[in-house]
Amino acid sequence: MFKIGEFSRLVRVSARMLRHYDKCGLLRPVEVDRFTGYRLYSAEQIPLLIRITALRDMGFGVEEIEETLPYYNNAEFMLKALEQKRKQIDSIIEMEQHKLDKINDMNNKIRKGNDRMVYEVELKEIPAIKVVSLREIVAAFENEVEQWEKMWAFIKKHNINCTKTGYSIYHDDEYKDENIDMEIAVPVNDLAESCDGFVYKELEAIPLAATIRFPGPYDNYGKAMEKLAVWIEQNGYEFDGIIRGHGIVMPDWDVAFENTLTELQVPVKKVNQ
């Protein structure tokens, strides 16, 4: 048998990690000297340790390793476990790439000194408008793109006479990262019979709305909302309904995302009115 330092050199796993595996119950020493307290390991444990480190290097956590080890030679189980881990890692890579994209975008803005314009707040009445709408619970905000693809496909299929503008309406009482109650709507000339989840209706008028416009694919959404919030607070107003996003210039084959224009419409009323 080998002392922990000797075993560590043999298997090229640090003594600290071997102690960690012992504590977690993944790899116990064969024996602990009752006089010295030394952990003693056997060469017969090396195959198990190789499996543990292989799973660790693929991103499996301690609990996942513990659950997987008994089925390591079960091909069907391992294929499912590996596929699930692959999907988890793909998701992490996608989120990290999104962060890198934001870093690069901020880098470019700083280098160019090009902080894109957010317009001034305007107080106005929003009239009622005829629309065809689609309201769904979507997994995440990114899925709004899929909603719009459904909408344009529906419009094309039924040859609907409409404008190339649209509304995004978020019906939840508070911000949510997932399972979002989202509605999109496109102005139409005439109302027709609702079908396939698409509803023809009149989008309600907003008697009084604080509005602000910003260009680009939501680059300046946060800045616009901050400006709106400051204006509402300083001018003695309060929220009085659901926020709408009005895509005045929307992306398509001819309009790039950076050339789009969005107006945020926040229903408001005077405080204590």
Side-chain angles (χ1 to χ4, degrees), residues 68-162:
T68 305
L69 281 175
Y71 306 98
Y72 198 88
N73 291 322
N74 184 320
E76 183 179 356
F77 179 91
M78 287 302 298
L79 286 172
K80 288 181 180 178
L82 292 172
E83 177 61 16
Q84 184 177 2
K85 180 55 63 178
R86 186 192 65 78
K87 289 179 179 179
Q88 290 176 359
I89 292 172
D90 279 344
S91 178
I92 292 170
I93 291 172
E94 185 178 346
M95 288 189 290
E96 295 303 309
Q97 185 59 54
H98 186 60
K99 294 176 186 176
L100 282 175
D101 291 342
K102 285 185 174 293
I103 289 171
N104 291 333
D105 184 52
M106 180 65 76
N107 246 327
N108 292 333
K109 285 181 179 179
I110 292 172
R111 291 179 184 278
K112 294 177 182 178
N114 182 25
D115 199 9
R116 305 186 67 183
M117 179 187 299
V118 174
Y119 297 93
E120 295 302 316
V121 176
E122 181 181 355
L123 195 64
K124 61 185 179 182
E125 178 184 353
I126 309 292
I129 185 168
K130 297 173 183 175
V131 298
V132 56
S133 79
L134 174 65
R135 182 173 175 177
E136 297 177 310
I137 303 296
V138 300
F141 282 101
E142 291 78 10
N143 295 94
E144 185 176 349
V145 174
E146 297 172 12
Q147 275 193 304
W148 283 109
E149 289 174 351
K150 292 180 186 178
M151 175 64 77
W152 299 131
F154 179 81
I155 288 171
K156 183 178 180 180
K157 177 182 177 181
H158 295 275
N159 196 27
I160 298 170
N161 196 352
C162 65

Side-chain angles (χ1 to χ4, degrees), residues 165-232:
T165 65
Y167 293 86
S168 298
I169 307 165
Y170 309 102
H171 290 277
D172 294 300
D173 293 332
E174 59 186 50
Y175 176 81
K176 293 172 67 177
D177 286 318
E178 56 186 9
N179 298 324
I180 302 151
D181 188 354
M182 186 182 298
E183 180 180 11
I184 61 170
V186 172
V188 295
N189 291 346
D190 300 294
L191 297 180
E193 187 175 347
S194 300
C195 64
D196 301 328
F198 292 86
V199 177
Y200 287 88
K201 66 179 186 179
E202 195 168 79
L203 207 57
E204 292 181 357
I206 303 177
L208 199 60
T211 67
I212 193 167
R213 296 183 177 188
F214 64 89
Y218 298 99
D219 299 46
N220 284 318
Y221 180 89
K223 186 186 296 182
M225 286 304 297
E226 178 187 357
K227 200 166 186 178
L228 265 175
V230 170
W231 186 94
I232 289 170

Side-chain angles (χ1 to χ4, degrees), residues 20-28 48 52 61-63 65-67 69:
H20 178 63
Y21 291 154
D22 180 11
K23 184 179 179 180
C24 295
L26 289 179
L27 185 73
R28 303 281 192 192
L48 175 59
I52 291 171
V62 170
E63 290 185 3
I65 293 173
E66 188 175 13
E67 292 171 0
L69 281 175

